[in-house]
Structure formats: structure tokens, C-alpha cells
Amino acid sequence: MSPKARDLAKSELVDLYLLGIGINGLSQITRETLDAIRRCRVVLHLSDQHTALKRLNKNTVNLDELYWTGEERGIVYQRIVSRVLEEVKRGPGVALVSYGHPLVFDDICATLRRRMDRARNRCVVLPAVSCLDTICVDLSIDYGDGLQVFDATALVNLELSMCAGIHTLLFQVYEFGEEGTADAIEERVERFRPLEAYLAGFYSDKHPALIVYSQDGDGEGPLKFRTTIRSIGKHQARMFPGVSIYIPPMHDER
Ligand SMILES: C[S@@+](CC[C@H](N)C(=O)[O-])C[C@H]1O[C@@H](n2cnc3c(N)ncnc32)[C@H](O)[C@@H]1O
């Protein structure tokens, strides 16, 4: 059997691959993810890397237009899950490719994995470089000191408890308090007040908050600027979809 035929036979064993390309274009993609993309029957993706992915697999489809609709994110995610499941029904060898790691804060991949398990379909998730990997490099921190990661909105809405003595990352900051996709969000001075007030329950008002974004291979980042937990909203104009907030541990002079 030729290597190409062997690859095809292998992809036939998998109904759905959930894959991530890393954070900085395709520069951090793993070899096993590259191999899976090359041998899949169809590659569906949510990333800025359409041309590069198409070079790896001619049957590559960009799902961006299903995503950027300004609708509630829950509705958008459900539509994408349905589109992927439709493709799985047509036959094995489907890949869904996103940036970062497929199972780090990714509702679409988490739902698909559950649905595939329930239907006893064959789903393979491959590890990938996540923004967790790039942020600690950008900030020169070691998560071994202790790390907590929250969705910014869930932190406040669910009144989750925080430990002020360890590293903290807040995700989905740009979307804070909003249900729509990022393209539908408008700047409002008061938008971040509930987050600032919530953080003040755990830290002093002057405690630092760093707005961070790792280079994405598409011209954005790296970004790192320092403010305080009480002044996050003042810096809205410098934020964009994809930024995170890092809060150093109390008593850390970073
Ligand atoms: C839905 S999560 C997806 C994370 C992705 N699966 C990963 O593995 O990195 C999106 C959030 O991750 C964070 N994020 C994604 N890319 C980032 C980057 N380049 N720099 C900093 N944070 C990033 C932001 O908080 C963003 O709102």
C-alpha cells in the first residue's frame, strides 16, 4: 500500500478530528495535526488561515460566515455544531480546525466531543498550543506557582470565588457581559464596572491587571499593557476580540 493510501485508510477510521493550529498562524502546529489535516476527506475551519490550510488539504471550507453574524453566541455555536455533524453524516474523515487548543475554552469542540461520544462516533482530539502556553512565555511566569482561569463573564455572573495568592487569567474579556459575537459589541464606559467591582472584592483597588494578547500570525499582537483592576474599562479602546487579562498574585511586585 502506498503511504498516501495508508493515510487515507487511517483517516477512514476517524469520523471527526478536533484540531488546533496553535496561536501564531501555523508556526506552532504539531506534526500529528499536520498529518491529520492532510489526510482528512474535508477540513472545516474557524481561523484566519484559510489559504495556508487549503495548501495542506484542497477540500478546506471556511466556516467564518456562520460565525460572524452578530447573533447570540449560543445560537452561533449551535449552528456550527450542526454544520459539522451534517458533514460527519456524509462520511468519516472530517476535521474541525480552530486556533489554539481544541479543548481549552472552546464550547463548540466540547459540545461536538460530547455529541460524538453519545452517538458512539469515532472522535479524536489532538493536543495543540493554546494561549495558556503563549501567555506564560510572554509574561515570563511559571504556572507552577498556582493558576486559576475564568471566563470573565462567568466569574461575575456565577460569583465564582477567587484565590488572590496565585496567577489569574481572565478569558473572553472583550465579550464581557455581552451575549453576541464580538463584531456586534459597542464600547460603553460602564461596561466593565461589574467586573472591576467584583475583582475589588478580592484585591486592593490599586492591584495590577495586565491586558495581554500573544502574537497571532495575522498582524495582531504581541500586546501587554498594565492598568489596575479598577481601571480596566478606561482601556476599552485599546482592547479587541481575543485579549485576556492577567492578574498577578497578591504581594507579587510584577
Ligand atoms: C474561546 S477562548 C479559546 C482559547 C483557545 N482554544 C486556546 O486554546 O487558546 C478565546 C479566549 O482565549 C483568549 N485568547 C485567545 N487568543 C489569545 C491570544 N493570542 N492572546 C491572549 N489571549 C488569547 C482570550 O481571552 C479569548 O477571549
Side-chain angles (χ1 to χ4, degrees), residues 23 99-101 104-106 130-131 135 170-173 175 212-214 242-244:
I23 295 299
Y99 73 91
H101 186 298
V104 172
F105 272 78
D106 188 318
S130 140
C131 66
I135 290 173
L170 304 183
F171 279 6
Q172 304 269 77
V173 173
E175 292 84 355
V212 292
Y213 187 75
S214 302
V243 295
S244 297

Side-chain angles (χ1 to χ4, degrees), residues 15-16 19 32 66 74 77 145 169 189 207:
D15 293 303
L16 177 64
L19 305 174
E32 61 177 352
L66 298 185
Y77 295 170
D145 302 335
L169 285 171
V189 190
H207 193 80

Side-chain angles (χ1 to χ4, degrees), residues 123-143:
C123 179
V124 170
V125 185
L126 296 181
V129 169
S130 140
C131 66
L132 289 173
D133 299 289
T134 58
I135 290 173
C136 66
V137 172
D138 291 350
L139 296 176
S140 296
I141 55 173
D142 183 339
Y143 296 144

Side-chain angles (χ1 to χ4, degrees), residues 51-76:
T51 309
L53 289 170
K54 196 136 183 129
R55 252 183 250 129
L56 296 172
N57 187 318
K58 285 204 169 57
N59 197 12
T60 289
V61 180
N62 190 342
L63 299 185
D64 257 8
E65 67 179 35
L66 298 185
Y67 190 96
W68 297 110
T69 63
E71 290 166 288
E72 242 179 68
R73 291 197 293 283
I75 295 172
V76 170

